[in-house]
Amino acid sequence: MERQTLALSSSSTSGISIISPPPEDAWIITYQKLRPQFQSLFSSNQSVIPIEVSRVNQVDAARLDIEMSAMLKEQLVKVFSLMKPGMLFQYEPELDAFLEFLIWRFSIWVDKPTPGNALMNLRYRDEHVVEARGKVRTGLEGPGLTIVQKIWYCIATVGGQYIWARLQSFSAFRRWGDTEQRSLARRAWFLMQRIEGFYKAASFGNLLLFLFTGRYRSLIERVLRARLVYGSPNMNRAVSFEYMNRQLVWNEFSEMLLLLLPLLNSSSVKNFLRPFSKDNSSNLEGDEALCPICQATPTTPFLAIPCQHRYCYYCLRTRCSATMSFRCSRCNEPVVAMQRHGGSVDHIVTQKE
């Protein structure tokens, strides 16, 4: 009986120790131990949100930045329009670098998007920072560029382009590529050509990667890990597709005209439109004394046969030799021969001779 009472007492005492309340700071200690694990699990699940930034938006932003720089340059050139002609052309690289520096100073340096990026609702994000800060909801969160990235961006875009433009103009002026130059100048020229070829090849490879992944439209952005993301997930494009379509159609139409106009013969077009024109001033007696080709008084006048209109010998002879079916610039009648002004029939010269 004594042994049983001892066993019951021991079991009762052990039971009381099991159901005894924990210490007051047990919850705090457990929370501090498990907090890093929960944070790592939360950040690993939220930092892999895939985002897709339109490639068209990124390319359009770069194009708009170029157009903005050209507009600023045009306005700045008008300020110096009263200066000596050709003087501003000598300092064109400095002018371009100054405008690029202004755009960088008032946009990227102060953590603001460039004009083109602002219109396309884009901003730069530092991709070196992998860990998400705060609550991630859209995948677009992330810090902007650091000071080091901003400075290197300025050095590459502003300083690099200016130095390369000046180096190319200086080498072309000094004719480093000529065979008569010294070996050192030729080596420098060949080195520049190789660097330029390597840069173009690298840019082409970066373009292919950009079209495939949608990240880093230029080599500078890829090296600096400066990625373009949307500034606001709920903001639409500032430039509508309808306006861009009109611009695209007009650009293609202007390029087509630039391609076709040099292929057209201006004199033939004028002769074709002459019957539809209401201006018959070319038939006046004052214009009859002038050569219709060079618009000058013929020193050696010749007449076109059979219309008897007066031409310079050189102008009429070259047109007849170039075109076997040359037509008079005044009446659009075929010219079969030409005759010296005031000469006899023996001075008639046909086009076939």
Side-chain angles (χ1 to χ4, degrees):
M1 292 295 294
E2 294 179 356
R3 292 179 179 178
Q4 292 178 358
T5 55
L6 291 173
L8 290 173
S9 62
S10 61
S11 62
S12 62
T13 55
S14 62
I16 293 172
S17 61
I18 292 174
I19 62 176
S20 62
E24 295 181 357
D25 58 345
W27 294 104
I28 299 176
I29 295 173
T30 305
Y31 172 74
Q32 292 178 353
K33 289 181 179 179
L34 297 178
R35 181 180 177 182
Q37 299 179 4
F38 280 112
Q39 287 183 347
S40 62
L41 181 62
F42 179 78
S43 61
S44 63
N45 291 333
Q46 295 294 332
S47 61
V48 295
I49 295 179
I51 57 174
E52 284 290 337
V53 181
S54 175
R55 298 165 178 80
V56 177
N57 284 17
Q58 301 182 56
V59 176
D60 289 343
R63 184 63 184 176
L64 288 173
D65 286 335
I66 296 174
E67 295 293 338
M68 181 65 67
S69 179
M71 291 174 60
L72 293 176
K73 183 179 178 180
E74 182 180 359
Q75 297 299 323
L76 191 59
V77 168
K78 289 182 180 179
V79 176
F80 299 96
S81 60
L82 300 178
M83 296 178 60
K84 183 179 178 181
M87 182 178 180
L88 194 61
F89 179 76
Q90 300 177 358
Y91 304 98
E92 187 175 0
E94 285 79 7
L95 181 61
D96 294 338
F98 175 71
L99 294 177
E100 292 293 336
F101 177 78
L102 286 181
I103 295 176
W104 171 85
R105 171 61 180 83
F106 294 102
S107 59
I108 297 178
W109 177 252
V110 293
D111 293 327
K112 292 183 179 180
T114 60
N117 292 340
L119 291 175
M120 293 293 107
N121 186 28
L122 297 174
R123 70 175 184 91
Y124 279 115
R125 185 179 72 178
D126 184 12
E127 288 296 298
H128 289 101
V129 182
V130 181
E131 297 180 359
R133 297 185 179 182
K135 186 177 180 180
V136 179
R137 293 178 298 176
T138 62
L140 301 176
E141 293 82 3
L145 301 181
T146 61
I147 297 179
V148 177
Q149 287 176 317
K150 295 175 183 177
I151 294 176
W152 277 112
Y153 186 91
C154 178
I155 293 175
T157 56
V158 181
Q161 293 181 3
Y162 168 71
I163 293 174
W164 185 254
R166 271 301 178 191
L167 188 60
Q168 282 187 329
S169 61
F170 181 78
S171 61
F173 179 75
R174 295 289 182 176
R175 297 182 179 179
W176 286 2
D178 294 347
T179 56
E180 294 81 6
Q181 295 292 334
R182 294 176 297 179
S183 59
L184 182 60
R186 289 200 304 272
R187 290 179 182 178
W189 175 262
F190 291 147
L191 180 62
M192 290 176 55
Q193 297 298 319
R194 291 181 180 179
I195 292 175
E196 184 177 4
F198 176 77
Y199 177 78
K200 291 181 178 179
S203 299
F204 179 73
N206 180 79
L207 176 62
L208 296 180
L209 290 176
F210 168 73
L211 295 177
F212 181 74
T213 61
R215 299 183 180 183
Y216 311 118
R217 62 187 178 185
S218 64
L219 287 175
I220 300 173
E221 295 178 358
R222 185 171 296 277
V223 173
L224 296 179
R225 297 291 299 278
R227 185 183 179 185
L228 284 173
V229 296
Y230 291 117
S232 175
N234 300 321
M235 182 177 178
N236 297 326
R237 294 164 54 103
V239 181
S240 63
F241 283 104
E242 183 180 358
Y243 171 77
M244 295 182 63
N245 290 335
R246 290 199 301 266
Q247 289 294 109
L248 182 61
V249 171
W250 173 250
N251 289 336
E252 294 298 330
F253 181 71
S254 60
E255 291 181 0
M256 182 185 68
L257 290 180
L258 292 176
L259 178 63
L260 295 180
L261 286 179
L263 303 178
L264 298 177
N265 190 348
S266 59
S267 60
S268 300
V269 175
K270 291 180 181 179
N271 295 331
F272 177 76
L273 298 177
R274 189 180 300 276
F276 305 98
S277 177
K278 297 181 180 180
D279 185 13
N280 297 323
S281 60
S282 59
N283 296 326
L284 298 177
E285 295 180 357
D287 293 340
E288 290 289 341
L290 301 178
C291 175
I293 297 177
C294 64
Q295 297 298 322
T297 303
T299 55
T300 307
F302 266 68
L303 301 178
I305 304 300
C307 62
Q308 300 293 322
H309 285 122
R310 186 181 302 181
Y311 286 84
C312 295
Y313 171 75
Y314 178 77
C315 296
L316 184 59
R317 187 64 177 178
T318 52
R319 293 299 190 278
C320 293
S321 300
T323 306
M324 298 301 298
S325 59
F326 174 70
R327 293 178 175 271
C328 179
S329 301
R330 294 190 183 278
C331 61
N332 201 28
E333 189 172 351
V335 178
V336 297
M338 60 183 187
Q339 177 186 1
R340 184 186 297 273
H341 180 67
S344 61
V345 181
D346 296 336
H347 294 87
I348 295 178
V349 183
T350 61
Q351 296 186 37
K352 297 181 180 181
E353 64 178 21

